[in-house]
Short mmCIF file of all heavy atoms in Angstrom, two decimals:
data_model
loop_
_atom_site.label_atom_id
_atom_site.label_comp_id
_atom_site.label_asym_id
_atom_site.label_seq_id
_atom_site.Cartn_x
_atom_site.Cartn_y
_atom_site.Cartn_z
N LYS A 819 -28.37 -57.93 59.00
CA LYS A 819 -28.92 -57.27 60.18
C LYS A 819 -28.95 -55.76 60.02
O LYS A 819 -29.68 -55.24 59.23
CB LYS A 819 -28.17 -57.66 61.46
CG LYS A 819 -28.13 -59.14 61.70
CD LYS A 819 -29.39 -59.63 62.31
CE LYS A 819 -29.19 -61.07 62.75
NZ LYS A 819 -30.30 -61.88 62.51
N ILE A 820 -28.10 -55.06 60.72
CA ILE A 820 -28.21 -53.62 60.86
C ILE A 820 -26.94 -52.91 60.41
O ILE A 820 -25.91 -53.54 60.20
CB ILE A 820 -28.48 -53.24 62.33
CG1 ILE A 820 -27.44 -53.92 63.22
CG2 ILE A 820 -29.85 -53.67 62.78
CD1 ILE A 820 -26.68 -53.03 64.07
N CYS A 821 -27.05 -51.61 60.29
CA CYS A 821 -25.87 -50.77 60.07
C CYS A 821 -25.57 -50.11 61.40
O CYS A 821 -26.36 -49.32 61.90
CB CYS A 821 -26.17 -49.73 59.00
SG CYS A 821 -24.85 -48.49 58.80
N ASP A 822 -24.45 -50.48 62.00
CA ASP A 822 -24.02 -49.89 63.26
C ASP A 822 -23.30 -48.59 62.94
O ASP A 822 -22.20 -48.59 62.40
CB ASP A 822 -23.10 -50.87 64.00
CG ASP A 822 -22.68 -50.37 65.36
OD1 ASP A 822 -22.76 -49.14 65.62
OD2 ASP A 822 -22.24 -51.20 66.17
N LEU A 823 -23.93 -47.47 63.27
CA LEU A 823 -23.39 -46.16 62.92
C LEU A 823 -22.09 -45.83 63.66
O LEU A 823 -21.39 -44.91 63.27
CB LEU A 823 -24.44 -45.08 63.19
CG LEU A 823 -25.73 -45.22 62.36
CD1 LEU A 823 -26.76 -44.21 62.82
CD2 LEU A 823 -25.44 -45.10 60.88
N GLN A 824 -21.77 -46.60 64.68
CA GLN A 824 -20.49 -46.42 65.37
C GLN A 824 -19.35 -47.09 64.62
O GLN A 824 -18.19 -46.82 64.89
CB GLN A 824 -20.58 -46.97 66.79
CG GLN A 824 -21.60 -46.24 67.64
CD GLN A 824 -21.65 -46.81 69.03
OE1 GLN A 824 -20.89 -46.39 69.90
NE2 GLN A 824 -22.53 -47.78 69.22
N VAL A 825 -19.69 -48.00 63.69
CA VAL A 825 -18.69 -48.77 62.96
C VAL A 825 -18.52 -48.29 61.53
O VAL A 825 -17.40 -48.18 61.03
CB VAL A 825 -19.06 -50.28 62.98
CG1 VAL A 825 -18.08 -51.09 62.14
CG2 VAL A 825 -19.11 -50.79 64.40
N GLU A 826 -19.63 -48.01 60.84
CA GLU A 826 -19.54 -47.56 59.45
C GLU A 826 -20.69 -46.63 59.09
O GLU A 826 -21.76 -46.71 59.67
CB GLU A 826 -19.45 -48.73 58.48
CG GLU A 826 -20.63 -49.64 58.41
CD GLU A 826 -20.39 -50.88 57.55
OE1 GLU A 826 -19.60 -50.85 56.60
OE2 GLU A 826 -21.04 -51.90 57.85
N GLU A 827 -20.42 -45.77 58.13
CA GLU A 827 -21.43 -44.86 57.60
C GLU A 827 -22.41 -45.65 56.74
O GLU A 827 -22.04 -46.67 56.15
CB GLU A 827 -20.75 -43.78 56.75
CG GLU A 827 -19.84 -42.86 57.52
CD GLU A 827 -20.62 -41.98 58.49
OE1 GLU A 827 -21.70 -41.49 58.12
OE2 GLU A 827 -20.13 -41.79 59.61
N PRO A 828 -23.66 -45.17 56.63
CA PRO A 828 -24.63 -45.88 55.79
C PRO A 828 -24.15 -46.12 54.36
O PRO A 828 -24.37 -47.20 53.81
CB PRO A 828 -25.86 -44.97 55.83
CG PRO A 828 -25.76 -44.29 57.16
CD PRO A 828 -24.28 -44.06 57.36
N LYS A 829 -23.50 -45.14 53.75
CA LYS A 829 -23.03 -45.32 52.37
C LYS A 829 -22.01 -46.46 52.28
O LYS A 829 -22.05 -47.27 51.36
CB LYS A 829 -22.43 -44.03 51.82
CG LYS A 829 -22.04 -44.14 50.36
CD LYS A 829 -21.54 -42.83 49.81
CE LYS A 829 -21.12 -43.01 48.36
NZ LYS A 829 -20.55 -41.78 47.83
N GLN A 830 -21.12 -46.56 53.26
CA GLN A 830 -20.15 -47.66 53.29
C GLN A 830 -20.87 -49.00 53.45
O GLN A 830 -20.52 -49.98 52.81
CB GLN A 830 -19.15 -47.47 54.44
CG GLN A 830 -18.26 -46.28 54.28
CD GLN A 830 -17.50 -45.99 55.58
OE1 GLN A 830 -18.05 -46.10 56.68
NE2 GLN A 830 -16.24 -45.62 55.44
N TRP A 831 -21.85 -49.06 54.34
CA TRP A 831 -22.63 -50.27 54.56
C TRP A 831 -23.31 -50.68 53.26
O TRP A 831 -23.29 -51.84 52.87
CB TRP A 831 -23.66 -50.01 55.67
CG TRP A 831 -24.42 -51.22 56.13
CD1 TRP A 831 -24.11 -52.02 57.18
CD2 TRP A 831 -25.61 -51.77 55.55
NE1 TRP A 831 -25.04 -53.02 57.32
CE2 TRP A 831 -25.97 -52.89 56.32
CE3 TRP A 831 -26.41 -51.43 54.47
CZ2 TRP A 831 -27.09 -53.66 56.05
CZ3 TRP A 831 -27.53 -52.19 54.19
CH2 TRP A 831 -27.86 -53.30 54.98
N ILE A 832 -23.94 -49.72 52.58
CA ILE A 832 -24.65 -49.99 51.33
C ILE A 832 -23.68 -50.52 50.27
O ILE A 832 -23.98 -51.51 49.59
CB ILE A 832 -25.38 -48.72 50.84
CG1 ILE A 832 -26.53 -48.40 51.80
CG2 ILE A 832 -25.89 -48.90 49.40
CD1 ILE A 832 -27.12 -47.00 51.61
N GLU A 833 -22.52 -49.88 50.12
CA GLU A 833 -21.52 -50.35 49.15
C GLU A 833 -21.11 -51.79 49.44
O GLU A 833 -21.06 -52.63 48.55
CB GLU A 833 -20.29 -49.44 49.17
CG GLU A 833 -20.53 -48.09 48.56
CD GLU A 833 -19.37 -47.12 48.74
OE1 GLU A 833 -18.61 -47.25 49.75
OE2 GLU A 833 -19.21 -46.24 47.88
N ARG A 834 -20.81 -52.07 50.71
CA ARG A 834 -20.37 -53.42 51.11
C ARG A 834 -21.46 -54.46 50.85
O ARG A 834 -21.22 -55.53 50.30
CB ARG A 834 -19.98 -53.39 52.59
CG ARG A 834 -19.53 -54.72 53.15
CD ARG A 834 -19.07 -54.62 54.60
NE ARG A 834 -20.06 -54.08 55.51
CZ ARG A 834 -21.12 -54.75 55.98
NH1 ARG A 834 -21.32 -56.00 55.60
NH2 ARG A 834 -21.96 -54.18 56.82
N VAL A 835 -22.69 -54.13 51.23
CA VAL A 835 -23.80 -55.06 51.09
C VAL A 835 -24.12 -55.33 49.62
O VAL A 835 -24.36 -56.48 49.23
CB VAL A 835 -25.03 -54.55 51.87
CG1 VAL A 835 -26.28 -55.31 51.51
CG2 VAL A 835 -24.76 -54.64 53.36
N LEU A 836 -24.14 -54.29 48.79
CA LEU A 836 -24.42 -54.49 47.37
C LEU A 836 -23.37 -55.39 46.71
O LEU A 836 -23.71 -56.26 45.92
CB LEU A 836 -24.52 -53.15 46.64
CG LEU A 836 -25.78 -52.34 46.92
CD1 LEU A 836 -25.66 -50.96 46.28
CD2 LEU A 836 -27.02 -53.06 46.43
N ARG A 837 -22.09 -55.16 47.04
CA ARG A 837 -21.03 -56.02 46.49
C ARG A 837 -21.23 -57.46 46.95
O ARG A 837 -21.14 -58.39 46.17
CB ARG A 837 -19.66 -55.53 46.93
CG ARG A 837 -19.07 -54.49 46.04
CD ARG A 837 -17.61 -54.21 46.41
NE ARG A 837 -17.41 -52.78 46.36
CZ ARG A 837 -17.23 -51.99 47.41
NH1 ARG A 837 -17.16 -52.48 48.62
NH2 ARG A 837 -17.10 -50.69 47.26
N SER A 838 -21.47 -57.63 48.23
CA SER A 838 -21.59 -58.96 48.82
C SER A 838 -22.83 -59.71 48.37
O SER A 838 -22.77 -60.90 48.06
CB SER A 838 -21.57 -58.84 50.34
OG SER A 838 -21.83 -60.07 50.94
N GLN A 839 -23.97 -59.03 48.35
CA GLN A 839 -25.22 -59.71 48.07
C GLN A 839 -25.49 -59.89 46.58
O GLN A 839 -25.98 -60.94 46.17
CB GLN A 839 -26.40 -58.97 48.71
CG GLN A 839 -26.37 -59.06 50.22
CD GLN A 839 -27.59 -58.43 50.87
OE1 GLN A 839 -28.48 -57.92 50.22
NE2 GLN A 839 -27.61 -58.47 52.19
N VAL A 840 -25.22 -58.86 45.77
CA VAL A 840 -25.60 -58.93 44.35
C VAL A 840 -24.48 -58.55 43.39
O VAL A 840 -24.71 -58.42 42.19
CB VAL A 840 -26.87 -58.09 44.05
CG1 VAL A 840 -28.08 -58.75 44.68
CG2 VAL A 840 -26.72 -56.66 44.52
N GLY A 841 -23.25 -58.36 43.88
CA GLY A 841 -22.08 -58.17 43.02
C GLY A 841 -22.11 -56.93 42.15
O GLY A 841 -21.60 -56.96 41.03
N VAL A 842 -22.68 -55.82 42.64
CA VAL A 842 -22.69 -54.58 41.87
C VAL A 842 -22.02 -53.48 42.66
O VAL A 842 -21.84 -53.57 43.88
CB VAL A 842 -24.13 -54.15 41.49
CG1 VAL A 842 -24.77 -55.15 40.54
CG2 VAL A 842 -24.99 -53.94 42.72
N GLU A 843 -21.64 -52.42 41.95
CA GLU A 843 -21.01 -51.26 42.57
C GLU A 843 -22.04 -50.13 42.71
O GLU A 843 -22.87 -49.93 41.82
CB GLU A 843 -19.82 -50.77 41.74
CG GLU A 843 -18.67 -51.76 41.68
CD GLU A 843 -18.03 -52.03 43.04
OE1 GLU A 843 -17.89 -51.09 43.84
OE2 GLU A 843 -17.68 -53.20 43.30
N LEU A 844 -21.95 -49.41 43.78
CA LEU A 844 -22.83 -48.28 44.03
C LEU A 844 -22.47 -47.13 43.11
O LEU A 844 -21.31 -46.73 43.03
CB LEU A 844 -22.71 -47.84 45.49
CG LEU A 844 -23.51 -46.63 45.92
CD1 LEU A 844 -25.00 -46.91 45.82
CD2 LEU A 844 -23.14 -46.24 47.33
N ALA A 845 -23.45 -46.58 42.40
CA ALA A 845 -23.24 -45.40 41.56
C ALA A 845 -23.76 -44.15 42.28
O ALA A 845 -23.09 -43.12 42.30
CB ALA A 845 -23.93 -45.57 40.22
N GLN A 846 -24.95 -44.25 42.87
CA GLN A 846 -25.56 -43.10 43.53
C GLN A 846 -26.55 -43.62 44.57
O GLN A 846 -27.19 -44.64 44.37
CB GLN A 846 -26.28 -42.25 42.50
CG GLN A 846 -26.87 -40.99 43.04
CD GLN A 846 -27.53 -40.16 41.93
OE1 GLN A 846 -27.42 -40.47 40.76
NE2 GLN A 846 -28.22 -39.12 42.32
N VAL A 847 -26.66 -42.89 45.67
CA VAL A 847 -27.60 -43.27 46.72
C VAL A 847 -28.25 -42.01 47.28
O VAL A 847 -27.60 -40.98 47.41
CB VAL A 847 -26.91 -44.08 47.83
CG1 VAL A 847 -25.84 -43.28 48.53
CG2 VAL A 847 -27.91 -44.61 48.84
N SER A 848 -29.55 -42.09 47.57
CA SER A 848 -30.23 -40.99 48.23
C SER A 848 -31.24 -41.55 49.23
O SER A 848 -31.89 -42.56 48.96
CB SER A 848 -30.92 -40.07 47.22
OG SER A 848 -31.89 -40.77 46.49
N LEU A 849 -31.33 -40.90 50.37
CA LEU A 849 -32.27 -41.31 51.40
C LEU A 849 -33.67 -40.92 50.97
O LEU A 849 -33.94 -39.77 50.64
CB LEU A 849 -31.92 -40.64 52.73
CG LEU A 849 -32.81 -40.98 53.92
CD1 LEU A 849 -32.72 -42.45 54.27
CD2 LEU A 849 -32.40 -40.12 55.12
N LYS A 850 -34.58 -41.90 50.94
CA LYS A 850 -35.96 -41.66 50.51
C LYS A 850 -36.88 -41.40 51.69
O LYS A 850 -37.70 -40.51 51.66
CB LYS A 850 -36.46 -42.84 49.69
CG LYS A 850 -37.87 -42.68 49.17
CD LYS A 850 -38.20 -43.73 48.16
CE LYS A 850 -39.64 -43.70 47.73
NZ LYS A 850 -40.15 -42.43 47.36
N SER A 851 -36.74 -42.20 52.75
CA SER A 851 -37.60 -42.02 53.92
C SER A 851 -37.01 -42.75 55.12
O SER A 851 -36.11 -43.57 54.98
CB SER A 851 -39.02 -42.54 53.64
OG SER A 851 -39.01 -43.93 53.45
N VAL A 852 -37.56 -42.44 56.28
CA VAL A 852 -37.22 -43.13 57.53
C VAL A 852 -38.53 -43.66 58.09
O VAL A 852 -39.51 -42.92 58.19
CB VAL A 852 -36.54 -42.19 58.54
CG1 VAL A 852 -36.27 -42.92 59.85
CG2 VAL A 852 -35.26 -41.60 57.97
N ASN A 853 -38.55 -44.94 58.42
CA ASN A 853 -39.76 -45.59 58.92
C ASN A 853 -39.51 -46.14 60.32
O ASN A 853 -38.52 -46.82 60.55
CB ASN A 853 -40.17 -46.74 58.00
CG ASN A 853 -40.65 -46.26 56.66
OD1 ASN A 853 -41.82 -46.32 56.37
ND2 ASN A 853 -39.75 -45.77 55.82
N PHE A 854 -40.43 -45.84 61.23
CA PHE A 854 -40.40 -46.40 62.57
C PHE A 854 -41.46 -47.49 62.60
O PHE A 854 -42.65 -47.19 62.69
CB PHE A 854 -40.67 -45.31 63.62
CG PHE A 854 -39.60 -44.26 63.64
CD1 PHE A 854 -39.75 -43.09 62.90
CD2 PHE A 854 -38.44 -44.45 64.36
CE1 PHE A 854 -38.76 -42.12 62.91
CE2 PHE A 854 -37.44 -43.49 64.36
CZ PHE A 854 -37.61 -42.32 63.63
N VAL A 855 -41.04 -48.74 62.50
CA VAL A 855 -41.98 -49.84 62.34
C VAL A 855 -42.47 -50.42 63.66
O VAL A 855 -43.54 -51.02 63.71
CB VAL A 855 -41.40 -50.96 61.44
CG1 VAL A 855 -41.18 -50.43 60.03
CG2 VAL A 855 -40.11 -51.51 62.00
N ALA A 856 -41.70 -50.27 64.71
CA ALA A 856 -42.09 -50.76 66.04
C ALA A 856 -41.20 -50.09 67.09
O ALA A 856 -40.09 -49.65 66.79
CB ALA A 856 -41.95 -52.28 66.13
N VAL A 857 -41.69 -50.04 68.30
CA VAL A 857 -40.96 -49.37 69.39
C VAL A 857 -39.59 -50.00 69.61
O VAL A 857 -38.61 -49.30 69.83
CB VAL A 857 -41.80 -49.41 70.69
CG1 VAL A 857 -41.02 -48.86 71.86
CG2 VAL A 857 -43.08 -48.61 70.50
N ASN A 858 -39.49 -51.33 69.55
CA ASN A 858 -38.23 -52.02 69.83
C ASN A 858 -37.39 -52.27 68.58
O ASN A 858 -36.42 -53.00 68.64
CB ASN A 858 -38.50 -53.37 70.49
CG ASN A 858 -39.26 -53.24 71.77
OD1 ASN A 858 -39.59 -52.15 72.21
ND2 ASN A 858 -39.56 -54.35 72.40
N HIS A 859 -37.76 -51.70 67.46
CA HIS A 859 -37.13 -51.98 66.16
C HIS A 859 -36.26 -50.81 65.76
O HIS A 859 -36.67 -49.65 65.87
CB HIS A 859 -38.24 -52.20 65.13
CG HIS A 859 -37.80 -52.81 63.85
ND1 HIS A 859 -37.08 -52.12 62.91
CD2 HIS A 859 -38.01 -54.04 63.35
CE1 HIS A 859 -36.87 -52.91 61.87
NE2 HIS A 859 -37.42 -54.09 62.13
N ALA A 860 -35.06 -51.09 65.29
CA ALA A 860 -34.21 -50.01 64.77
C ALA A 860 -34.93 -49.30 63.63
O ALA A 860 -35.68 -49.93 62.88
CB ALA A 860 -32.88 -50.59 64.27
N PRO A 861 -34.76 -47.99 63.48
CA PRO A 861 -35.41 -47.28 62.38
C PRO A 861 -34.99 -47.87 61.03
O PRO A 861 -33.83 -48.26 60.85
CB PRO A 861 -34.90 -45.84 62.51
CG PRO A 861 -34.30 -45.74 63.87
CD PRO A 861 -33.92 -47.12 64.29
N VAL A 862 -35.93 -47.94 60.12
CA VAL A 862 -35.65 -48.44 58.77
C VAL A 862 -35.42 -47.23 57.87
O VAL A 862 -36.32 -46.40 57.70
CB VAL A 862 -36.81 -49.31 58.23
CG1 VAL A 862 -36.51 -49.76 56.80
CG2 VAL A 862 -37.04 -50.51 59.13
#
């Protein structure tokens, strides 16, 4: 689902998800863009 910014930082979410989904460790991360896909949709 989503990254709840009140619970964890995006980098922490990314680290957790990468380990859980594909078993790798985060080396580096950079924000590429922010997309507003719909009025009722959390920003991507």
Side-chain angles (χ1 to χ4, degrees):
K819 304 279 190 219
I820 51 124
C821 172
D822 183 340
L823 298 173
Q824 297 180 87
V825 176
E826 64 187 331
E827 295 292 320
K829 185 176 178 183
Q830 294 168 320
W831 187 94
I832 292 166
E833 288 173 331
R834 179 177 56 77
V835 167
L836 287 173
R837 272 189 223 109
S838 173
Q839 291 185 1
V840 290
V842 295
E843 294 297 321
L844 177 64
Q846 184 178 353
V847 63
S848 61
L849 180 63
K850 181 169 174 49
S851 66
V852 177
N853 291 252
F854 296 94
V855 296
V857 174
N858 301 359
H859 194 287
V862 178

